[in-house]
Amino acid sequence: MTDPSSGTDYLQQTTRFEPAAVEARWMKRWLDEHLFHAEPDPDRPAYSIVIPPPNITGVLHMGHALNDTVQDVLTRYHRMLGENACWLVGTDHAGIATQNVVEKMLRKEGLTKEDLGREEFVARVWEWRREYGGTIIEQLKRLGSSCDYERERFTFDEGYVRAVTRVFVALYDKGYIHKDSYLVNWCPRCGTAISDLEVAYRDMPGTLNHIRYEIAGGGSVTIATTRPETMLGDTAVAVHPDDERYTAVVGKTAVLPLLGRELRIVADERVDPSFGTGALKITPAHDLTDFDIGRTHGLETVQAIGQDGRITAAGGPYAGLEVEEAAARVTADLRALGALVKVEDYPHSVATCDRCGTPIEPLISEQWFMDMDELKKPATDVVRDGTVTFTPERWGRVYIDWMDNLRPWCISRQLWWGHQLPVWYCPDGHLTVAETEPQACATCGSTELTRETDVLDTWFSSALWPFATFGWPEQTADLAYFYPTNVLSTGRDIIFLWVARMIMMGLEFMDEIPFDDVYIHSVIQAPDGRRMSKSLGTGIDPLDVIDEHGADATRFGLLLMSSTQDVRFSDEKIAMGRGFANKLWNAARFVLLGTQGYAAERSDVAEVDRWITSRFQRCLAAVEEAVAVYDFTAAVDALYHFVWDEFCDWYVELIKVPLYGEDEAKKAQVAGHARWMLDQIVRLLHPFMPFVTEEIAEQYGAAPLLRQQHPRRDEEQLAADDEKAIGELQAAVDALRRFRAEAEIPPGKVLAAVFAGDAAAAERYEHHAGVFRAMARTTLAFAGEPETDATVVVVPGGRLFVAAAIDKAEEIARLEQQLARAQAEVERGEAKLGNEKFVGRAPEAVVTKEREKLASHVAERDGLAARLAQLRGG
RNA sequence: GGGCGAUUAGCUCAGGGGUAGAGCACCUGCCUUACAAGCAGGGAGUCGCUGGUUCAAAUCCAGCAUCGCCCACCA
């Protein structure tokens, strides 16, 4: 890249990392050079992820942003490990959602879909999709998502339709799909049946109405209902067989008030005798329990509520009323009759349409169902036996529990936008199910065929995503190479709707699981702990966050929020990411500008070089272990602390001494290593913060990092001795700094100190004399008597006597405090080691550690006591 | 009704049998030639409550409380 990042002017002047321009430039380059695209390559292992396809009506929200960051980290990470990584991207045609959006648009033009007719309407939806359907894909790019955009798929594209049709026909031929007249969840507003999973229960206030039904031949029975209007569809009354209050009336006939319909009184165990009056009105056409009881007892069904949500002709005088109005009228009329015995407040949960919020009307209609019994067993087994793993694990148990209780899936929708069922009817009502339009009825040969108008549930097609996107039903090279995918990352809200069904379909049609791992990410709530939602006004637009802080910062912050539990959105974490990107950028500026002309080369000559290399290896190990178990917070945390606390705060400061020094050979060695180290860091960090790392790598000619390798784990680069040595150096500098702060010694004042202690420590400190000068503003001497008014600073391996300008009385008080603290530690340690049970039963390492601690506290105490005695005496 | 999760510093959250951690916020001092979006230092918590196991519990177990989520044919 030449502009504007060529030469050192750019580095010199850019003291802050400015994401906006950098991001756009890099995304363009990655795309122009096809760096995200993968083709099957037998020489490399495949790593594949399919994105949960967002709805074409969707815009990027915080959940996507987190999920896509996770997938991008994994994709970039594995790509740099040398795997052939393909992150497959695409969109979902989203039946109801999309149809609703286009209908709303038509309404603004004063049109309904009926005005246009089906064909024209569907054409309008395609048009809408061409114009707006790609929005979310463009938004993905803002985040830096390295999807294989050249493979973009759509759940309604040509090849996908073939896959859906093939699956439907195959399942029909196997007898898993059938048509039935059954009680389904009907949304009167959307005008379609929906599946159980698309029903949301919401707590609402309501009333429990006790209604008296007279019994033919004398007596009465009182039932209780929350929906009085459904009595218009009653065909029976049921009581529990063991309920002694009602044994006498079972078998008799009750009379439905208002309509006069005769109702059988039946006994059924599904009635709860403790609820209400113990007598249950039976409306087989509008309640699932009633429907089942009706089937058992051969009861008539009366449809009192129509698909438009209004009372039908069966409701006599109430016909044509909306249910709410009907409820009011029925209640009033019952009251007038004296049949309404009691009305009590009764809050209960109401079934509503998950998509539009309208109360669901259970009613009987002709629908297509998929029987899950055969499909669910293998799909449950693979999770039970660990072939497919869930992270966090608990979602696997949730999945299994749900699978164990599966009921048939209602897959037909009375919509216009979607995969039309490949089913044709002849005038005699025979069915012909075929992949391509048949010429004649398979049963009677009639050529007058009409196609089923229903379309499939959107989730039917989504279930095929992991294999249909790689070319199935064709046996393509892509499919052979990239399937099964490695991991599916998604939110927990679609475990049942989508994940479960992909596993079932993958096993059925590919005879293989669709993915090895399922990673369920956290739900990001609004900062106040409420749901992020547009209607509540609690949503935060990730694009705004990117605009404000940059994509790297947004990714970093989101990864910090990728917990195993729900978390609140935290602006501070994003700001932390921004600060980190800036810190990294500035560290890179320092290294690159301060070592110009030197070539990157790892060195193990200097202790400090071996130390930072070793610390890097530990960070690398931590990152690899964290990513392997999808613990992105731990990965990012390890990177942050290594880069900031160790690389920037210590390494960079430590190498300033040789770098600004006169020893040219030493300087060359340190400079080379610093450049090498920076390159290692940037490679390790790239999957997490792709933009800033590319921008840095560009400055020394290593870009694009997308083509580079991940740093290599190497046990031989670990250096425990050097870590210990530098650790002690850090502790000594810290002690001096603490002393300076406590004694309020001005930063500019240079202190002189005499070291007394063991020889090894003396040698080490002498070697790092420059470090003490630079980082603690203290010059060290290793011989001679300390002055009598010197202050003692305890450091590893001995004591520093600092010629200090502080009050003797204050110094005595300070030492007394330190002594008291040391004494307390000694006593604690002695008590612990004097405890036979502790010494006898605690692990040896714990006891040893305790002994070492005690010894060091004893030494510290004795040193302080001696010093105190000297001060008091002098 | 069943299940799951959470309860740790002022805030947001990690951790997890062996002397309590991070970021932000706060206090003090510094524009020290990579970075003031910075540097150095500091204060701050009976780890929700009650029991139990253990030499040792924030951590494991049981119960309780509060909050949240999911499932359910709560007439």
Side-chain angles (χ1 to χ4, degrees), chain A residues 653-722:
Chain A
E653 295 305 323
L654 290 171
I655 63 169
K656 280 179 181 173
V657 177
L659 235 36
Y660 296 155
E662 301 297 321
D663 185 338
E664 186 48 44
K666 177 129 190 114
K667 193 170 164 180
Q669 163 250 309
V670 166
H673 192 262
R675 283 189 162 248
W676 175 81
M677 195 70 252
L678 177 67
D679 181 57
Q680 293 283 110
I681 289 172
V682 153
R683 288 167 191 245
L684 180 55
L685 217 38
H686 178 261
F688 303 89
M689 306 182 94
F691 295 107
V692 66
T693 49
E694 284 285 26
E695 192 70 0
I696 290 168
E698 171 76 358
Q699 308 309 314
Y700 58 88
L705 288 170
L706 269 171
R707 286 215 188 92
Q708 307 289 339
Q709 293 291 303
H710 181 80
R712 191 174 52 88
R713 283 277 279 282
D714 182 0
E715 294 276 324
E716 289 185 5
Q717 292 181 24
L718 291 176
D721 291 350
D722 297 306

Side-chain angles (χ1 to χ4, degrees), chain A residues 1-8 10 17 19-33 35 585 690-707:
Chain A
M1 235 161 190
T2 53
D3 171 62
S5 48
S6 60
T8 56
Y10 175 68
F17 178 65
V22 168
E23 290 171 7
R25 223 160 4 91
W26 277 103
M27 184 44 83
K28 182 170 185 314
R29 175 163 172 192
W30 292 327
L31 291 170
D32 287 350
E33 297 185 12
L35 297 178
W585 174 250
F691 295 107
V692 66
T693 49
E694 284 285 26
E695 192 70 0
I696 290 168
E698 171 76 358
Q699 308 309 314
Y700 58 88
L705 288 170
L706 269 171
R707 286 215 188 92

Side-chain angles (χ1 to χ4, degrees), chain A residues 56-366:
Chain A
I56 46 173
T57 56
V59 290
L60 196 76
H61 59 58
M62 209 50 84
H64 295 125
L66 170 58
N67 196 210
D68 295 332
T69 298
V70 162
Q71 291 169 81
D72 193 48
V73 167
L74 289 168
T75 304
R76 287 178 187 265
Y77 178 85
H78 284 275
R79 192 183 281 127
M80 290 182 76
L81 280 173
E83 294 165 45
N84 192 10
C86 178
W87 180 12
L88 192 130
V89 71
T91 49
D92 194 298
H93 69 285
I96 302 186
T98 308
Q99 177 160 326
N100 283 350
V101 167
V102 176
E103 277 191 81
K104 196 179 278 178
M105 199 180 72
L106 286 177
R107 255 200 305 280
K108 281 187 192 149
E109 302 173 26
L111 291 169
T112 66
K113 68 177 191 295
E114 285 75 16
D115 292 336
L116 297 180
R118 182 162 185 158
E119 209 169 309
E120 174 62 18
F121 176 77
V122 169
R124 288 292 290 263
V125 182
W126 276 107
E127 199 177 300
W128 186 93
R129 187 246 170 185
R130 262 191 303 281
E131 189 146 355
Y132 307 106
T135 305
I136 195 158
I137 301 291
E138 289 311 305
Q139 293 174 331
L140 270 179
K141 293 177 183 167
R142 289 293 313 281
L143 248 191
S145 308
S146 64
C147 307
D148 191 343
Y149 298 99
E150 293 164 47
R151 289 179 176 275
E152 181 179 336
R153 294 298 303 267
F154 180 48
T155 59
F156 208 3
D157 65 34
E158 209 187 317
Y160 214 101
V161 171
R162 274 199 303 278
V164 169
T165 310
R166 169 75 58 90
V167 165
F168 184 93
V169 173
L171 291 173
Y172 180 84
D173 287 345
K174 276 189 115 171
Y176 295 174
I177 289 179
H178 66 280
K179 192 179 186 182
D180 194 7
S181 181
Y182 197 80
L183 193 89
V184 296
N185 308 296
W186 184 267
C187 174
R189 204 216 59 82
C190 297
T192 180
I194 58 177
S195 72
D196 296 341
L197 284 175
E198 293 162 291
V199 176
Y201 289 89
R202 289 206 284 208
D203 288 330
M204 293 192 182
T207 56
L208 188 61
N209 303 271
H210 296 247
I211 305 168
R212 187 168 60 231
Y213 290 9
E214 301 300 332
I215 293 175
S220 70
V221 58
T222 300
I223 56 85
T225 179
T226 54
R227 295 196 58 193
E229 75 280 11
T230 62
M231 67 171 282
L232 301 173
D234 282 5
T235 56
V237 170
V239 297
H240 192 93
D242 299 337
D243 192 337
E244 291 174 4
R245 292 172 296 181
Y246 297 112
T247 39
V249 302
V250 172
K252 292 190 173 172
T253 301
V255 179
L256 185 66
L258 306 176
L259 296 183
R261 189 182 300 142
E262 295 194 340
L263 312 173
R264 279 171 56 194
I265 300 178
V266 301
D268 194 288
E269 294 191 331
R270 281 162 285 198
V271 179
D272 175 4
S274 66
F275 187 92
T277 62
L280 174 63
K281 66 192 263 311
I282 300 298
T283 322
H286 299 289
D287 180 279
L288 188 57
T289 308
D290 295 9
F291 180 80
D292 289 342
I293 291 177
R295 282 208 163 172
T296 307
H297 299 272
L299 300 173
E300 187 194 348
T301 61
V302 171
Q303 183 168 352
I305 301 166
Q307 298 189 342
D308 54 1
R310 292 170 186 276
I311 303 300
T312 64
Y318 305 95
L321 294 178
E322 302 243 4
V323 289
E324 238 173 273
E325 173 73 5
R329 294 269 290 273
V330 165
T331 320
D333 292 349
L334 287 170
R335 195 188 302 275
L337 276 177
L340 189 63
V341 181
K342 186 163 75 169
V343 177
E344 50 188 332
D345 284 336
Y346 185 73
H348 61 292
S349 66
V350 174
T352 62
C353 173
D354 203 23
R355 194 139 293 285
C356 72
T358 308
I360 288 302
E361 213 47 77
L363 48 81
I364 294 171
S365 70
E366 289 266 306

Side-chain angles (χ1 to χ4, degrees), chain A residues 550-776:
Chain A
D552 289 324
T554 304
R555 295 165 61 109
F556 182 95
L558 287 170
L559 290 171
L560 283 180
M561 292 177 233
S562 69
S563 142
T564 58
Q565 63 175 88
D566 296 350
V567 290
R568 298 177 183 207
F569 180 80
S570 157
D571 215 33
E572 282 86 33
K573 290 198 166 123
I574 308 284
M576 207 176 145
R578 185 193 57 191
F580 186 50
N582 192 237
K583 187 73 180 174
L584 183 72
W585 174 250
N586 276 293
R589 284 179 61 227
F590 169 81
V591 170
L592 296 175
L593 290 171
T595 64
Q596 280 182 67
Y598 295 97
E601 186 178 10
R602 181 162 86 84
S603 162
D604 57 5
V605 175
E607 187 179 55
V608 60
D609 292 338
R610 294 193 302 268
W611 167 75
I612 195 67
T613 304
S614 183
R615 296 303 300 162
F616 175 78
Q617 280 290 326
R618 305 226 186 257
C619 174
L620 173 59
V623 169
E624 290 189 353
E625 282 158 24
V627 172
V629 297
Y630 305 106
D631 186 350
F632 301 101
T633 303
V636 154
D637 190 67
L639 287 164
Y640 179 89
H641 287 289
F642 169 74
V643 169
W644 203 307
D645 300 346
E646 308 203 70
F647 183 74
C648 292
D649 287 352
W650 285 96
Y651 175 75
V652 163
E653 295 305 323
L654 290 171
I655 63 169
K656 280 179 181 173
V657 177
L659 235 36
Y660 296 155
E662 301 297 321
D663 185 338
E664 186 48 44
K666 177 129 190 114
K667 193 170 164 180
Q669 163 250 309
V670 166
H673 192 262
R675 283 189 162 248
W676 175 81
M677 195 70 252
L678 177 67
D679 181 57
Q680 293 283 110
I681 289 172
V682 153
R683 288 167 191 245
L684 180 55
L685 217 38
H686 178 261
F688 303 89
M689 306 182 94
F691 295 107
V692 66
T693 49
E694 284 285 26
E695 192 70 0
I696 290 168
E698 171 76 358
Q699 308 309 314
Y700 58 88
L705 288 170
L706 269 171
R707 286 215 188 92
Q708 307 289 339
Q709 293 291 303
H710 181 80
R712 191 174 52 88
R713 283 277 279 282
D714 182 0
E715 294 276 324
E716 289 185 5
Q717 292 181 24
L718 291 176
D721 291 350
D722 297 306
E723 288 188 42
K724 185 163 185 283
I726 297 290
E728 291 184 0
L729 177 66
Q730 291 174 319
V733 169
D734 280 343
L736 277 169
R737 283 171 165 174
R738 216 173 304 122
F739 161 71
R740 295 187 65 115
E742 277 168 19
E744 291 179 0
I745 294 166
K749 185 175 167 64
V750 176
L751 298 177
V754 177
F755 177 78
D758 66 63
E763 193 182 337
R764 186 159 57 246
Y765 293 147
E766 190 160 18
H767 177 72
H768 287 297
V771 170
F772 282 92
R773 242 187 334 269
M775 299 184 74

